[in-house]
């Protein structure tokens, strides 16, 4: 079974999204990665964040397993991370990005600019976390 992660970095109450342009449409999604060499999914999350953004989290919270169609035989975990210093942000390649508030996340979903099922699942988990205040240390 393949194992993957999706990471939602936050900084001062904003979330980092990658911009995807396809067929003239603009969409956004969180950072994603696949587990390599039997490393833990937490290590995969940290490596993915570092490789794709050069950011280092000071707090990481696992958001539990994200449901994925059984036909794809994949386990996916979501991670919400808070980064200490966003000035170290360096995006690999020519990828475009955007920092957004939670309200802007909801607006992007409502406008159909976030359609990636993994990103949508993480946003739902963040919403539940915010709604029930289960994570008090993390600035959401």
């Amino acid at each position: 079974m393949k194992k993957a992660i999706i990471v939602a970095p936050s900084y001062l109450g904003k979330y980092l999204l990658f911009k995807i342009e396809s067929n003239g449409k603009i969409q956004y999604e969180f950072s994603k990665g696949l587990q390599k060499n039997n490393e833990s999914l937490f290590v995969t999350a940290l490596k993915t964040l570092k490789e794709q953004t050069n950011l280092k989290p000071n707090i990481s919270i696992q958001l539990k397993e994200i449901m994925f169609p059984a036909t794809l035989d994949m386990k996916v975990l979501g991670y919400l991370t808070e980064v200490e210093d966003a000035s170290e942000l360096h995006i690999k390649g020519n990828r475009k990005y955007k920092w957004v508030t939670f309200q802007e996340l909801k607006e992007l979903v409502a406008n159909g600019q976030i359609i990636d099922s993994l990103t949508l699942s993480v946003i739902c988990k963040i919403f539940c976390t915010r709604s029930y205040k289960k994570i008090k240390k993390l600035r959401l």
Side-chain angles (χ1 to χ4, degrees), residues 3-64:
K3 295 181 182 176
I5 55 88
I6 181 161
V7 182
S10 70
Y11 177 70
L12 298 178
K14 292 190 174 186
Y15 301 90
L16 179 66
L17 292 171
F18 286 107
K19 184 177 181 180
I20 310 295
E21 294 184 50
S22 177
N23 299 327
K25 293 184 178 183
I26 297 173
Q27 298 171 5
Y28 296 92
E29 61 185 35
F30 288 127
S31 182
K32 299 178 209 169
L34 291 172
Q35 183 184 42
K36 297 173 188 154
N37 304 324
N38 293 324
E39 65 194 6
S40 74
L41 287 172
F42 179 70
V43 168
T44 299
L46 295 178
K47 284 173 118 178
T48 298
L49 186 64
K50 178 71 173 164
E51 289 170 4
Q52 294 181 5
T53 67
N54 196 46
L55 295 173
K56 299 173 201 146
N58 62 350
I59 298 173
S60 291
I61 305 296
Q62 182 180 319
L63 296 172
K64 305 288 183 195

Side-chain angles (χ1 to χ4, degrees), residues 4 10 19 41 56 62 99 102 108 114 123-124 127 137:
S10 70
K19 184 177 181 180
L41 287 172
K56 299 173 201 146
Q62 182 180 319
W99 288 99
F102 189 72
L108 288 169
I114 296 179
I123 291 170
C124 288
F127 176 76
K137 291 181 183 178

